[in-house]
Amino acid sequence: MNIFDVEILSNEPVADKIFRLTLDAPELAKTSRAGQFIQVKVADEFTLRRPFGIASTTGGRVKIFYRVVGRGTYTLSKKVVGDYLDILGALGNGFTPCDGKILLVGGGMGLAPLLCAAEQFNSDILIGGRTKDEVTFWQSEFEPHVEKIFITTDDGSYHKKGFVTDLLPEILGDYSAVYTCGPEVMMRGVARIALDNNLPCQVSFERRMACGLGACLSCSIDTSDGRKKVCKDGPVFDAQKVFGGDKLG
Ligand code: FES
């Protein structure tokens, strides 16, 4: 883990309030694994860095996606090509590779780290969203990296109507593992289906993080191995240890 001063190559909106930020960061790109994240110092007036899952590491560039939800991300959205950012990373433990083809399952901004997994692993993707507008840019991001893209929308405006958990049991048979990231309720449902079918499942948690370095405990979660820090022990965990046993519902 290092601190890098990196140049912004692009910072553009791709959907409502969602931006794609591309950084010229060859050293960081070389050492990052899918599932890891970076902490961005957005501006001097913000004490805390903001965590973002790494979405791509190809061509010496690091790409992230972010949703504008507050002052920090609003300030980030105003940065322009040629500006520099202070980046800490790569942080955390990423996805562990496995043999065979992996099914990635994600929703919302949880699709960002899965995009990096799609770049690095033999995988297909199941994308869930509320509406067509929410999923089409993700579809085009994943297209170069996977063979199959499955999509569900809550309102049925695109592909299959329903949740990822409605479609997952129908397609699960072709895969040797499931990696998931997104809203916790979605990951819990995905983990239940995967584990019921005896498939290994890795879950990547998104948490608010104060330090990002394991020092403040603000990101702790319960696991069968006790309390763990998402920033240092994760963000990727074995689903059995987080959602296994009695907690699986
Ligand atoms: Fe401080 Fe995880 S963010 S311990």
Side-chain angles (χ1 to χ4, degrees):
M1 182 267 295
N2 282 305
I3 291 180
F4 299 92
D5 195 27
V6 296
E7 186 180 358
I8 295 175
L9 298 175
S10 69
N11 187 24
E12 57 208 346
V14 290
D16 185 31
K17 293 196 173 110
I18 297 177
F19 283 69
R20 178 179 50 214
L21 174 69
T22 307
L23 303 165
D24 184 20
E27 278 303 307
L28 178 61
K30 209 164 34 182
T31 53
S32 300
R33 287 189 298 119
Q36 289 189 295
F37 66 97
I38 56 174
Q39 289 267 62
V40 178
K41 184 170 179 153
V42 175
D44 285 341
E45 73 235 50
F46 301 112
T47 332
L48 297 181
R49 291 171 178 268
R50 271 36 178 202
F52 300 101
I54 295 170
S56 173
T57 58
T58 57
R61 298 170 172 198
V62 167
K63 192 156 70 175
I64 63 167
F65 291 82
Y66 62 94
R67 189 191 297 274
V68 176
V69 290
R71 277 198 324 126
T73 43
Y74 175 77
T75 303
L76 188 58
S77 74
K78 297 299 170 195
K79 301 281 181 188
V80 297
V81 174
D83 284 351
Y84 278 75
L85 283 174
D86 179 314
I87 304 284
L88 183 63
L91 299 165
N93 290 307
F95 291 104
T96 307
C98 73
D99 293 334
K101 196 160 199 177
I102 299 158
L103 181 62
L104 310 170
V105 184
M109 300 311 291
L111 286 155
L114 294 183
L115 183 59
C116 200
E119 275 184 4
Q120 296 182 8
F121 306 134
N122 176 20
S123 56
D124 289 333
I125 178 78
L126 168 54
I127 297 171
R130 281 173 298 186
T131 63
K132 178 180 178 181
D133 287 348
E134 218 178 86
V135 300
T136 46
F137 82 92
W138 285 119
Q139 181 182 15
S140 53
E141 291 285 343
F142 276 94
E143 255 158 12
H145 307 295
V146 298
E147 192 184 338
K148 290 184 192 159
I149 299 180
F150 306 96
I151 296 173
T152 63
T153 48
D154 299 3
D155 66 356
S157 55
Y158 199 50
H159 291 242
K160 188 177 171 78
K161 183 174 176 16
F163 303 124
V164 291
T165 43
D166 296 323
L167 185 56
L168 183 58
E170 294 174 30
I171 60 176
L172 202 61
D174 294 335
Y175 300 95
S176 55
V178 174
Y179 296 177
T180 184
C181 186
E184 210 161 307
V185 63
M186 183 213 78
M187 293 201 297
R188 181 182 293 269
V190 168
R192 176 176 52 76
I193 294 166
L195 297 178
D196 281 353
N197 286 274
N198 297 316
L199 276 187
C201 181
Q202 296 178 31
V203 294
S204 180
F205 277 80
E206 298 170 299
R207 273 283 190 282
R208 289 188 78 85
M209 292 176 187
C211 72
L213 299 169
C216 73
L217 304 180
S218 70
C219 64
S220 299
I221 59 167
D222 287 318
T223 76
S224 59
D225 292 336
R227 297 280 284 171
K228 294 288 176 190
K229 298 163 191 165
V230 169
C231 67
K232 199 156 195 298
D233 304 311
V236 178
F237 293 90
D238 179 347
Q240 182 69 48
K241 296 195 169 172
V242 185
F243 293 133
D246 294 335
K247 292 172 122 196
L248 211 59

